[in-house]
Amino acid sequence: MSQPSPHLDRLRLLRPFAARLCAGLACMAVTVLIQLAYPKALSYFIDNINLQKDMAWFSSLALIMLAVLAVQAVAATARYYIFESTGYMIVTRIRRQLYAALIDQPIRFYDKHHVGELNNRLTADVEILHDTLTMGMAVSLRCLCVFIGGVAMLLTISPVLCLMLVFFLPATLYLGKVTGKVYRKQARLMQDGQADCAKVAHEHFSNIRLVHAFSQQRTARTRYAGATEHALSLSVSSSALFALFRGGSSFLVYLALLGTLWFGARLIGQGALSVGDLTAFILYASMVTEAAGAIGEFWNAWMRTIGATEWIFEVINAECAPPAAAGGEVRLQGNLAFNDVVFSYPERPDAQALKGIDFAIAAGETIALVGASGAGKSTIASLILGFYQPDSGSISFDGVDAGAMPLAGIRSKLAIVEQEPSLFSGSIFENIAFAVAEREVTLDEVKAAAALAYAHDFICCFPDGYDTLVGEHGTQLSGGQKQRIAIARALLRDPRILILDEATSALDSASELQVQHALDTLMQGRTTIIIAHRFSTIVKADRILVLDQGRLAQQGTHAQLVAQQDGLYFHLMRHQLARAQPVAA
Ligand code: ADP
């Protein structure tokens, strides 16, 4: 695939706003014309001031100038508004595009990129386009017009005097080109540095309770200072480069003006030039040199923007995971099989998390996944949900390879209830209705699901009922309440296959009982895979799969596995068995 041009990629962002930008350019043309006419008018004024006794011409000239200045003011205001507001529109558009691209990224992308970093990319990196793409580009276009118009005027006044500028202008433009290249590289590093700072800050803010509880404020400060120090050193070296460019080009400007003045004075002495002409020439020359400097500066800013937004365009242009929304509906009974599945996480390719897992689950069966921490239980759940693809082997639903079915179709038949249920900061209604993406959900449906999940009663006790806001991550609800809302959400989805990641921390016995009742309702008639921690759950499962370091060590019912006293299951469960025995006795 051919590499898209970084320049075209950015310029393409302007296309939807072509009409607005043309209006802005028209306003700009008016201001440029007036700007170009100004020195000529001044030259006329100077050369006529002594010759004309009658000053009536001056009053009419002043009136015309006033009208022209009023037109210029209106055009300049309109130009500023149009370019500035279009800049914001472009930023919003690219921000939406980037967000859409990020949301579609496969889960492995999120293993690699931190939330704080992504947030920073969405705000700071995108913002950079605002100034360069509209205002910056408009100003440089204006400068280009001024430059071309100014050179034409200079040539009409005195082609000989123009020779003075011939050496200077290419030098300024060349200076801009050279520094632009360095800027591009530097800008990417600067944005990476900023993203790193955002990552560190986000990490500590999101774990602020832990930071305070362990009195780690000093470490937090040190880590942030380290990250900002690095970002600062990049910005400072970039400023040095910018200052050098500025100093260099302004030196060249003044050098050229000095030369022009010296040579112009000689031409006046020889009678080849009038004082008014020299004044106009100097004004045009400073306009032209200033414009050339601004074009060089814009080129630098443009290259900086390209560097700073490289990451954004890499993400937007990258081929995303197969879009989760694509594909038709899938009918599943709920049979599931892992066929010799081998898998390593992309971030840890050397360590196999699953080393040839082989099992089949019949529709309606309840399976408990048991094993020490790190054995691969959650990895199995992630693979069922299609977050990652197996390196070898396959996963099949009702005997059909998952790879041959639309991912969105499969996922529509799956639901997960997590160990720590994730809630959004909206209302209870929104959190339950989240289960169904493809259509609007009615309040009655949500209420029915909540009733089955034993959540309706406590929700009705809140003054705002289903409109109650749950706070960030559901902090305004108790553990048991959050669990039951998550169960209601899963019920509303009406999945064929259910994945339960059992909470390790025990709820109080009343909540526990309600959550258990809710889960029993949810599991009825569905294939259920439980990442099980509690003895009571494990014992009740139809079958238990015992995992050991990515391998399936044993499988069978509780009774069968307990009978194998040299097996891993007996070893894992012996404390719980010892506790359960007296009760049984
Ligand atoms: P369990 O759920 O049984 O505790 P996991 O399935 O979470 O175990 O983990 C299995 C192995 O995969 C562990 O060695 C763990 O460190 C590793 N692992 C889990 N998640 C990731 C990840 N996102 N990236 C890299 N390695 C991971």
Side-chain angles (χ1 to χ4, degrees), residues 287-301:
M287 253 184 216
V288 165
T289 49
E290 201 180 295
I295 293 168
E297 231 167 77
F298 170 74
W299 183 247
N300 282 339

mmCIF file with all atom_site columns, all heavy atoms in Angstrom, residues 287-301:
data_model
loop_
_atom_site.group_PDB
_atom_site.id
_atom_site.type_symbol
_atom_site.label_atom_id
_atom_site.label_alt_id
_atom_site.label_comp_id
_atom_site.label_asym_id
_atom_site.label_entity_id
_atom_site.label_seq_id
_atom_site.pdbx_PDB_ins_code
_atom_site.Cartn_x
_atom_site.Cartn_y
_atom_site.Cartn_z
_atom_site.occupancy
_atom_site.B_iso_or_equiv
_atom_site.pdbx_formal_charge
_atom_site.auth_seq_id
_atom_site.auth_comp_id
_atom_site.auth_asym_id
_atom_site.auth_atom_id
_atom_site.pdbx_PDB_model_num
ATOM 1   N N   . MET A 1 287 ? 7.590  45.056 3.249  1.00 0.00 ? 287 MET A N   1
ATOM 2   C CA  . MET A 1 287 ? 6.428  44.161 3.147  1.00 0.00 ? 287 MET A CA  1
ATOM 3   C C   . MET A 1 287 ? 6.852  42.804 2.596  1.00 0.00 ? 287 MET A C   1
ATOM 4   O O   . MET A 1 287 ? 6.509  41.750 3.108  1.00 0.00 ? 287 MET A O   1
ATOM 5   C CB  . MET A 1 287 ? 5.430  44.779 2.150  1.00 0.00 ? 287 MET A CB  1
ATOM 6   C CG  . MET A 1 287 ? 4.198  45.355 2.761  1.00 0.00 ? 287 MET A CG  1
ATOM 7   S SD  . MET A 1 287 ? 3.168  45.877 1.382  1.00 0.00 ? 287 MET A SD  1
ATOM 8   C CE  . MET A 1 287 ? 2.486  47.330 2.089  1.00 0.00 ? 287 MET A CE  1
ATOM 9   N N   . VAL A 1 288 ? 7.639  42.867 1.520  1.00 0.00 ? 288 VAL A N   1
ATOM 10  C CA  . VAL A 1 288 ? 8.049  41.634 0.838  1.00 0.00 ? 288 VAL A CA  1
ATOM 11  C C   . VAL A 1 288 ? 8.946  40.785 1.737  1.00 0.00 ? 288 VAL A C   1
ATOM 12  O O   . VAL A 1 288 ? 8.763  39.580 1.868  1.00 0.00 ? 288 VAL A O   1
ATOM 13  C CB  . VAL A 1 288 ? 8.751  41.984 -0.502 1.00 0.00 ? 288 VAL A CB  1
ATOM 14  C CG1 . VAL A 1 288 ? 9.502  40.785 -1.050 1.00 0.00 ? 288 VAL A CG1 1
ATOM 15  C CG2 . VAL A 1 288 ? 7.736  42.469 -1.505 1.00 0.00 ? 288 VAL A CG2 1
ATOM 16  N N   . THR A 1 289 ? 9.895  41.463 2.391  1.00 0.00 ? 289 THR A N   1
ATOM 17  C CA  . THR A 1 289 ? 10.814 40.691 3.233  1.00 0.00 ? 289 THR A CA  1
ATOM 18  C C   . THR A 1 289 ? 10.077 40.106 4.446  1.00 0.00 ? 289 THR A C   1
ATOM 19  O O   . THR A 1 289 ? 10.293 38.965 4.837  1.00 0.00 ? 289 THR A O   1
ATOM 20  C CB  . THR A 1 289 ? 11.974 41.568 3.733  1.00 0.00 ? 289 THR A CB  1
ATOM 21  O OG1 . THR A 1 289 ? 11.414 42.772 4.261  1.00 0.00 ? 289 THR A OG1 1
ATOM 22  C CG2 . THR A 1 289 ? 12.936 41.890 2.627  1.00 0.00 ? 289 THR A CG2 1
ATOM 23  N N   . GLU A 1 290 ? 9.169  40.908 4.965  1.00 0.00 ? 290 GLU A N   1
ATOM 24  C CA  . GLU A 1 290 ? 8.378  40.416 6.104  1.00 0.00 ? 290 GLU A CA  1
ATOM 25  C C   . GLU A 1 290 ? 7.523  39.215 5.670  1.00 0.00 ? 290 GLU A C   1
ATOM 26  O O   . GLU A 1 290 ? 7.421  38.207 6.367  1.00 0.00 ? 290 GLU A O   1
ATOM 27  C CB  . GLU A 1 290 ? 7.473  41.545 6.587  1.00 0.00 ? 290 GLU A CB  1
ATOM 28  C CG  . GLU A 1 290 ? 7.003  41.351 8.019  1.00 0.00 ? 290 GLU A CG  1
ATOM 29  C CD  . GLU A 1 290 ? 6.120  42.526 8.408  1.00 0.00 ? 290 GLU A CD  1
ATOM 30  O OE1 . GLU A 1 290 ? 6.648  43.648 8.471  1.00 0.00 ? 290 GLU A OE1 1
ATOM 31  O OE2 . GLU A 1 290 ? 4.933  42.307 8.616  1.00 0.00 ? 290 GLU A OE2 1
ATOM 32  N N   . ALA A 1 291 ? 6.944  39.334 4.468  1.00 0.00 ? 291 ALA A N   1
ATOM 33  C CA  . ALA A 1 291 ? 6.113  38.247 3.959  1.00 0.00 ? 291 ALA A CA  1
ATOM 34  C C   . ALA A 1 291 ? 6.954  36.995 3.751  1.00 0.00 ? 291 ALA A C   1
ATOM 35  O O   . ALA A 1 291 ? 6.539  35.883 4.108  1.00 0.00 ? 291 ALA A O   1
ATOM 36  C CB  . ALA A 1 291 ? 5.444  38.665 2.655  1.00 0.00 ? 291 ALA A CB  1
ATOM 37  N N   . ALA A 1 292 ? 8.169  37.183 3.217  1.00 0.00 ? 292 ALA A N   1
ATOM 38  C CA  . ALA A 1 292 ? 9.034  36.019 2.986  1.00 0.00 ? 292 ALA A CA  1
ATOM 39  C C   . ALA A 1 292 ? 9.365  35.362 4.321  1.00 0.00 ? 292 ALA A C   1
ATOM 40  O O   . ALA A 1 292 ? 9.355  34.129 4.449  1.00 0.00 ? 292 ALA A O   1
ATOM 41  C CB  . ALA A 1 292 ? 10.303 36.446 2.274  1.00 0.00 ? 292 ALA A CB  1
ATOM 42  N N   . GLY A 1 293 ? 9.631  36.198 5.330  1.00 0.00 ? 293 GLY A N   1
ATOM 43  C CA  . GLY A 1 293 ? 9.923  35.663 6.660  1.00 0.00 ? 293 GLY A CA  1
ATOM 44  C C   . GLY A 1 293 ? 8.732  34.896 7.196  1.00 0.00 ? 293 GLY A C   1
ATOM 45  O O   . GLY A 1 293 ? 8.868  33.796 7.747  1.00 0.00 ? 293 GLY A O   1
ATOM 46  N N   . ALA A 1 294 ? 7.531  35.463 7.006  1.00 0.00 ? 294 ALA A N   1
ATOM 47  C CA  . ALA A 1 294 ? 6.323  34.812 7.523  1.00 0.00 ? 294 ALA A CA  1
ATOM 48  C C   . ALA A 1 294 ? 6.057  33.491 6.813  1.00 0.00 ? 294 ALA A C   1
ATOM 49  O O   . ALA A 1 294 ? 5.611  32.521 7.424  1.00 0.00 ? 294 ALA A O   1
ATOM 50  C CB  . ALA A 1 294 ? 5.128  35.737 7.361  1.00 0.00 ? 294 ALA A CB  1
ATOM 51  N N   . ILE A 1 295 ? 6.379  33.459 5.503  1.00 0.00 ? 295 ILE A N   1
ATOM 52  C CA  . ILE A 1 295 ? 6.179  32.200 4.769  1.00 0.00 ? 295 ILE A CA  1
ATOM 53  C C   . ILE A 1 295 ? 7.130  31.130 5.322  1.00 0.00 ? 295 ILE A C   1
ATOM 54  O O   . ILE A 1 295 ? 6.743  29.991 5.565  1.00 0.00 ? 295 ILE A O   1
ATOM 55  C CB  . ILE A 1 295 ? 6.394  32.403 3.247  1.00 0.00 ? 295 ILE A CB  1
ATOM 56  C CG1 . ILE A 1 295 ? 5.275  33.305 2.707  1.00 0.00 ? 295 ILE A CG1 1
ATOM 57  C CG2 . ILE A 1 295 ? 6.389  31.071 2.508  1.00 0.00 ? 295 ILE A CG2 1
ATOM 58  C CD1 . ILE A 1 295 ? 5.520  33.817 1.310  1.00 0.00 ? 295 ILE A CD1 1
ATOM 59  N N   . GLY A 1 296 ? 8.358  31.549 5.560  1.00 0.00 ? 296 GLY A N   1
ATOM 60  C CA  . GLY A 1 296 ? 9.331  30.624 6.148  1.00 0.00 ? 296 GLY A CA  1
ATOM 61  C C   . GLY A 1 296 ? 8.865  30.145 7.513  1.00 0.00 ? 296 GLY A C   1
ATOM 62  O O   . GLY A 1 296 ? 8.959  28.966 7.848  1.00 0.00 ? 296 GLY A O   1
ATOM 63  N N   . GLU A 1 297 ? 8.327  31.063 8.294  1.00 0.00 ? 297 GLU A N   1
ATOM 64  C CA  . GLU A 1 297 ? 7.835  30.728 9.631  1.00 0.00 ? 297 GLU A CA  1
ATOM 65  C C   . GLU A 1 297 ? 6.654  29.764 9.550  1.00 0.00 ? 297 GLU A C   1
ATOM 66  O O   . GLU A 1 297 ? 6.540  28.819 10.313 1.00 0.00 ? 297 GLU A O   1
ATOM 67  C CB  . GLU A 1 297 ? 7.370  32.009 10.314 1.00 0.00 ? 297 GLU A CB  1
ATOM 68  C CG  . GLU A 1 297 ? 7.966  32.169 11.678 1.00 0.00 ? 297 GLU A CG  1
ATOM 69  C CD  . GLU A 1 297 ? 7.731  33.579 12.174 1.00 0.00 ? 297 GLU A CD  1
ATOM 70  O OE1 . GLU A 1 297 ? 6.607  33.873 12.592 1.00 0.00 ? 297 GLU A OE1 1
ATOM 71  O OE2 . GLU A 1 297 ? 8.693  34.372 12.135 1.00 0.00 ? 297 GLU A OE2 1
ATOM 72  N N   . PHE A 1 298 ? 5.782  30.037 8.566  1.00 0.00 ? 298 PHE A N   1
ATOM 73  C CA  . PHE A 1 298 ? 4.633  29.140 8.408  1.00 0.00 ? 298 PHE A CA  1
ATOM 74  C C   . PHE A 1 298 ? 5.112  27.745 8.034  1.00 0.00 ? 298 PHE A C   1
ATOM 75  O O   . PHE A 1 298 ? 4.602  26.753 8.534  1.00 0.00 ? 298 PHE A O   1
ATOM 76  C CB  . PHE A 1 298 ? 3.675  29.654 7.334  1.00 0.00 ? 298 PHE A CB  1
ATOM 77  C CG  . PHE A 1 298 ? 2.636  28.620 6.993  1.00 0.00 ? 298 PHE A CG  1
ATOM 78  C CD1 . PHE A 1 298 ? 1.593  28.361 7.873  1.00 0.00 ? 298 PHE A CD1 1
ATOM 79  C CD2 . PHE A 1 298 ? 2.731  27.859 5.836  1.00 0.00 ? 298 PHE A CD2 1
ATOM 80  C CE1 . PHE A 1 298 ? 0.659  27.376 7.594  1.00 0.00 ? 298 PHE A CE1 1
ATOM 81  C CE2 . PHE A 1 298 ? 1.797  26.865 5.559  1.00 0.00 ? 298 PHE A CE2 1
ATOM 82  C CZ  . PHE A 1 298 ? 0.758  26.634 6.438  1.00 0.00 ? 298 PHE A CZ  1
ATOM 83  N N   . TRP A 1 299 ? 6.119  27.702 7.167  1.00 0.00 ? 299 TRP A N   1
ATOM 84  C CA  . TRP A 1 299 ? 6.624  26.389 6.762  1.00 0.00 ? 299 TRP A CA  1
ATOM 85  C C   . TRP A 1 299 ? 7.105  25.613 7.992  1.00 0.00 ? 299 TRP A C   1
ATOM 86  O O   . TRP A 1 299 ? 6.835  24.426 8.151  1.00 0.00 ? 299 TRP A O   1
ATOM 87  C CB  . TRP A 1 299 ? 7.750  26.547 5.737  1.00 0.00 ? 299 TRP A CB  1
ATOM 88  C CG  . TRP A 1 299 ? 8.240  25.221 5.235  1.00 0.00 ? 299 TRP A CG  1
ATOM 89  C CD1 . TRP A 1 299 ? 9.455  24.664 5.451  1.00 0.00 ? 299 TRP A CD1 1
ATOM 90  C CD2 . TRP A 1 299 ? 7.485  24.271 4.465  1.00 0.00 ? 299 TRP A CD2 1
ATOM 91  N NE1 . TRP A 1 299 ? 9.521  23.423 4.864  1.00 0.00 ? 299 TRP A NE1 1
ATOM 92  C CE2 . TRP A 1 299 ? 8.318  23.160 4.253  1.00 0.00 ? 299 TRP A CE2 1
ATOM 93  C CE3 . TRP A 1 299 ? 6.197  24.244 3.943  1.00 0.00 ? 299 TRP A CE3 1
ATOM 94  C CZ2 . TRP A 1 299 ? 7.916  22.036 3.545  1.00 0.00 ? 299 TRP A CZ2 1
ATOM 95  C CZ3 . TRP A 1 299 ? 5.781  23.116 3.235  1.00 0.00 ? 299 TRP A CZ3 1
ATOM 96  C CH2 . TRP A 1 299 ? 6.635  22.044 3.031  1.00 0.00 ? 299 TRP A CH2 1
ATOM 97  N N   . ASN A 1 300 ? 7.790  26.340 8.880  1.00 0.00 ? 300 ASN A N   1
ATOM 98  C CA  . ASN A 1 300 ? 8.228  25.704 10.130 1.00 0.00 ? 300 ASN A CA  1
ATOM 99  C C   . ASN A 1 300 ? 7.047  25.211 10.939 1.00 0.00 ? 300 ASN A C   1
ATOM 100 O O   . ASN A 1 300 ? 7.037  24.085 11.452 1.00 0.00 ? 300 ASN A O   1
ATOM 101 C CB  . ASN A 1 300 ? 8.998  26.714 10.987 1.00 0.00 ? 300 ASN A CB  1
ATOM 102 C CG  . ASN A 1 300 ? 10.401 26.890 10.467 1.00 0.00 ? 300 ASN A CG  1
ATOM 103 O OD1 . ASN A 1 300 ? 10.903 26.030 9.768  1.00 0.00 ? 300 ASN A OD1 1
ATOM 104 N ND2 . ASN A 1 300 ? 11.013 28.005 10.782 1.00 0.00 ? 300 ASN A ND2 1
ATOM 105 N N   . ALA A 1 301 ? 6.026  26.066 11.065 1.00 0.00 ? 301 ALA A N   1
ATOM 106 C CA  . ALA A 1 301 ? 4.850  25.700 11.855 1.00 0.00 ? 301 ALA A CA  1
ATOM 107 C C   . ALA A 1 301 ? 4.145  24.510 11.211 1.00 0.00 ? 301 ALA A C   1
ATOM 108 O O   . ALA A 1 301 ? 3.670  23.597 11.896 1.00 0.00 ? 301 ALA A O   1
ATOM 109 C CB  . ALA A 1 301 ? 3.892  26.879 11.936 1.00 0.00 ? 301 ALA A CB  1
#
